Amino acid sequence: MDKIIDLHIHSNASDGSFTPSEIINLACEIKISAISITDHDTINGQKEALSCKTSIEVIPGVEVSTDYSRMLHILGYCFDIHNQELNNKLEYFRNGRKIRNELIIKKLNELGMKIKLDEVLENAADGVPGRPHIAQVLLTNGYVKTIQQAFDKYLKKGAVAYFNRAKLLPDETIRLIKQAGGIPVMAHPIQTGLAGDRLVKLVKNLKDCGLAGIEVWYSAHSDEQTKFYQFIAKKFRLIQTGGTDFHGKNKPDIKLGKGFGNLKIPYSCVKSLKKSNLKF
Ligand code: AMP
Ligand code: FE
Ligand code: FE
Ligand code: ZN
């Protein structure tokens, strides 16, 4: 059987439901060979993940949203977890979230929903509080029927209670990861909403800024899309990576290593990452 991997996973250090150790145990059970925990704006789960005694390869990872007109997330792999600039900027992003959370709660209160910031922070526990935690509180209090409805009605970009937060431009984000010795990878190209030549143009611009990889395999990518992203990867000599965007119970339809069921991410992704970063 071919070795399978999952290089896009969220733990409870951000908006996933499992601890890094629980994720590693689960990965062992289902015989995944390599994982990366790629939390939003934090590497607080990395130490626990990297220190677990396991035969699974654990690759340092992080996911950063960029300041762009569309949804453009950059994954960073194999960086130095002690890099000062990276740690400083991640803290800056987390502070930006605090400001945004207050604005969102204030707006929801004005719209008649009696939810408190403390409830959201309690729901996030040790994790980086994000919109999924606010959505969960709206659900618990009966203001929406599903998490998705909370996003559609209030929280998604352009909705009534949406507020932007502090982010870096795409080229600055790429440089941030590179200066930490890491490999910047474009996450889930499908979520940019771009296809064909428009996507090719964006990837070319990012490659000119230092992008090193693209997430070809992803839960929501169709076979046709996967093939097209592979074509783009080859065209711009980008490393091909893949991951499910597993969030545990917070996105129950997405299974570790399998996505919606049939995803198989090849081990060759790990080999390519290692080849371009000899430290790992
Ligand atoms: P945040 O970190 O606060 O920007 O929230 C990002 C998280 O919210 C990610 O895990 C996304 O999966 C989720 N999310 C973002 N946009 C949507 C949307 N339109 N519908 C459902 N979930 C979303
Ligand atoms: Fe998330
Ligand atoms: Fe993302
Ligand atoms: Zn993600």
Side-chain angles (χ1 to χ4, degrees), residues 8 10 40 63-65 71-75 187-188 191 215 218 245 247 251:
H8 190 156
H10 295 272
H40 303 282
E63 181 174 22
V64 177
S65 306
M71 196 195 273
L72 178 55
H73 296 175
I74 302 290
L75 294 158
H188 40 59
Q191 287 185 9
E215 191 171 51
Y218 185 71
D245 219 347
H247 283 69
K251 285 192 187 173

Side-chain angles (χ1 to χ4, degrees), residues 11-257:
S11 79
N12 69 343
S14 66
D15 56 354
S17 68
F18 295 120
T19 65
S21 310
E22 286 167 342
I23 289 167
I24 288 175
N25 288 339
L26 185 57
C28 268
E29 272 172 37
I30 59 174
K31 301 196 166 46
I32 288 180
S33 305
I35 63 153
S36 181
I37 292 175
T38 52
D39 281 313
H40 303 282
D41 298 343
T42 181
I43 54 174
N44 287 344
Q46 300 302 320
K47 268 200 196 129
E48 181 181 332
L50 292 165
S51 65
C52 272
K53 286 208 172 70
T54 173
S55 56
I56 292 181
E57 282 180 70
V58 179
I59 293 164
V62 70
E63 181 174 22
V64 177
S65 306
T66 70
D67 190 3
Y68 186 64
S69 55
R70 292 172 174 274
M71 196 195 273
L72 178 55
H73 296 175
I74 302 290
L75 294 158
Y77 293 114
C78 305
F79 47 79
D80 168 16
I81 63 169
H82 302 293
N83 179 267
Q84 201 54 54
E85 180 65 16
L86 178 63
N87 279 281
N88 289 348
K89 280 293 188 305
L90 294 177
E91 195 179 349
Y92 163 76
F93 297 142
R94 295 194 295 266
N95 279 328
R97 284 173 176 277
K98 279 186 197 156
I99 297 166
R100 178 180 67 165
N101 287 339
E102 283 168 16
L103 290 170
I104 295 177
I105 301 296
K106 188 162 168 269
K107 184 71 187 179
L108 292 172
N109 290 162
E110 282 167 15
L111 291 168
M113 284 158 272
K114 295 189 179 76
I115 68 165
K116 293 197 182 81
L117 182 61
D118 281 353
E119 287 175 88
V120 174
L121 300 181
E122 229 169 82
N123 184 243
D126 296 330
V128 172
R131 286 174 292 165
H133 300 110
I134 299 176
Q136 185 62 52
V137 172
L138 286 174
L139 180 68
T140 309
N141 286 276
Y143 293 115
V144 290
K145 291 197 178 71
T146 60
I147 297 278
Q148 192 55 51
Q149 196 182 33
F151 272 91
D152 292 342
K153 272 180 99 168
Y154 305 113
L155 301 173
K156 73 176 183 189
K157 198 167 184 172
V160 275
Y162 176 81
F163 290 88
N164 204 357
R165 61 183 169 86
K167 292 172 190 154
L168 294 180
L169 292 168
D171 61 319
E172 295 169 331
T173 310
I174 288 169
R175 275 201 296 277
L176 176 67
I177 290 162
K178 284 189 95 126
Q179 67 77 41
I183 303 169
V185 172
M186 181 191 202
H188 40 59
I190 189 178
Q191 287 185 9
T192 60
L194 294 175
D197 288 348
R198 293 173 76 198
L199 181 65
V200 171
K201 205 167 152 195
L202 171 63
V203 176
K204 186 194 180 302
N205 287 339
L206 297 174
K207 166 78 186 185
D208 290 344
C209 300
L211 188 77
I214 181 166
E215 191 171 51
V216 165
W217 291 273
Y218 185 71
S219 298
H221 291 170
S222 67
D223 289 350
E224 203 175 278
Q225 281 163 334
T226 303
K227 280 199 190 107
F228 185 61
Y229 303 145
Q230 280 185 301
F231 161 79
I232 294 182
K234 283 182 190 143
K235 185 175 171 73
F236 296 111
R237 294 177 188 220
L238 294 167
I239 295 168
Q240 299 179 24
T241 73
T244 57
D245 219 347
F246 180 72
H247 283 69
K249 290 173 192 155
N250 296 341
K251 285 192 187 173
D253 294 344
I254 299 179
K255 309 288 179 217
L256 190 69

